[in-house]
Amino acid sequence: MNGYNPATRLKDHTRSMANRNCHRSEVLEVLRLSRLVLEHDRSALQFPHLSLYCDWFVHGAIDRKPLGSKILELVNDAIRKHWENSDGLVTGISRCLSLAELRHEMIIFLITCGAVTDVADSFTNWNVFVSLLLEDLLDRPIRLPAKAKEAEAIVARMLSAWNGYKYKHWPRAIFFLREEREDGSFSFVWNVEMAAPQLTGGDSYNLRGGMQMTESLSAFARG
């Protein structure tokens, strides 16, 4: 009897997807199988962004992953840096969500598994993959850790980064939303839920911006 090897399943699955239009379930199956490989090979630490998105794909929220907390701290830094620059803020927070890092790790991971890399090295394929992924992740947040002491330490670092700014506020969650347009089309946006205990009439507010692809066509092996 052959031993269980999810890498073989991933390899066969990506080969079956090559050079044809694929269904949503087939594309997202790449993440499910990747997660099985990461668990089987205990290689999650080598591919932290892939591991994060694989876990996010199967959970309602992320609050136990160190990288999730790091993303919130990066979001805090982006908000501080671009507080008065809305264009910079939209791009900065889009970068914090690390889709470029996810793609780069996926290519290395798939090559390591002997799998086909079409989903990540083609500009067109990657845009399709990201659209399906974000659709699946709608309204599922990355949020501060459930453990109070861990969350308090992260919030303290965030507040310290503002260098004594008179109002205390910090990102406590980020998630994707779908924004419908009048013409029937839609786009994906990120939504940052900001804790603001000094706010009159509430204790939080939301920042929202269009999710941007942070890599140009030239970064891909093919179109």
Side-chain angles (χ1 to χ4, degrees):
M1 179 177 175
N2 293 329
Y4 169 66
N5 187 355
T8 299
R9 298 185 185 184
L10 177 61
K11 180 169 61 176
D12 292 343
H13 181 67
T14 56
R15 286 178 177 174
S16 75
M17 293 170 59
N19 302 315
R20 67 178 177 86
N21 293 326
C22 298
H23 297 295
R24 168 193 175 90
S25 59
E26 292 177 295
V27 176
L28 294 178
E29 177 72 355
V30 173
L31 278 181
R32 190 189 74 85
L33 291 171
S34 295
R35 188 172 188 267
L36 291 175
V37 176
L38 292 172
E39 289 180 348
H40 182 266
D41 296 349
R42 298 181 181 179
S43 55
L45 292 179
Q46 297 175 43
F47 305 99
H49 297 89
L50 176 58
S51 177
L52 172 72
Y53 273 91
C54 285
D55 283 353
W56 200 356
F57 175 63
V58 296
H59 289 95
I62 292 292
D63 59 10
R64 297 181 182 180
K65 300 281 284 189
L67 183 55
S69 298
K70 181 181 177 182
I71 284 174
L72 288 176
E73 292 195 62
L74 291 172
V75 167
N76 183 69
D77 290 341
I79 294 170
R80 178 181 54 81
K81 181 178 179 181
H82 301 291
W83 185 243
E84 297 181 352
N85 176 3
S86 59
D87 290 340
L89 183 64
V90 169
T91 301
I93 294 182
S94 294
R95 284 200 176 108
C96 293
L97 288 157
S98 307
L99 289 177
E101 289 81 1
L102 170 64
R103 187 177 78 84
H104 296 157
E105 288 184 13
M106 279 186 70
I107 290 173
I108 296 170
F109 174 77
L110 291 169
I111 290 172
T112 301
C113 294
V116 176
T117 62
D118 286 7
V119 69
D121 65 16
S122 159
F123 181 78
T124 300
N125 291 349
W126 182 248
N127 275 275
V128 171
F129 175 81
V130 168
S131 293
L132 293 174
L133 174 61
L134 298 190
E135 181 78 33
D136 198 80
L137 295 179
L138 292 178
D139 296 304
R140 291 198 261 165
I142 292 177
R143 60 192 181 201
L144 288 170
K147 293 183 178 179
K149 287 186 177 180
E150 291 182 17
E152 288 169 4
I154 293 167
V155 170
R157 289 197 298 270
M158 288 179 176
L159 292 176
S160 177
W162 282 85
N163 297 320
Y165 186 72
K166 61 180 179 179
Y167 298 113
K168 292 183 178 180
H169 57 176
W170 62 90
R172 65 186 182 193
I174 186 169
F175 51 91
F176 298 110
L177 294 171
R178 196 168 108 152
E179 193 169 79
E180 306 291 338
R181 301 191 184 103
E182 291 184 1
D183 63 3
S185 63
F186 67 89
S187 61
F188 294 105
V189 301
W190 46 256
N191 188 95
V192 181
E193 186 179 292
M194 297 290 291
Q198 296 167 293
L199 188 67
T200 301
D203 64 355
S204 67
Y205 65 93
N206 291 294
L207 294 174
R208 188 173 295 177
M211 185 62 193
Q212 293 185 349
M213 294 290 288
T214 58
E215 292 183 288
S216 65
L217 176 59
S218 62
F220 291 77
R222 55 200 176 86

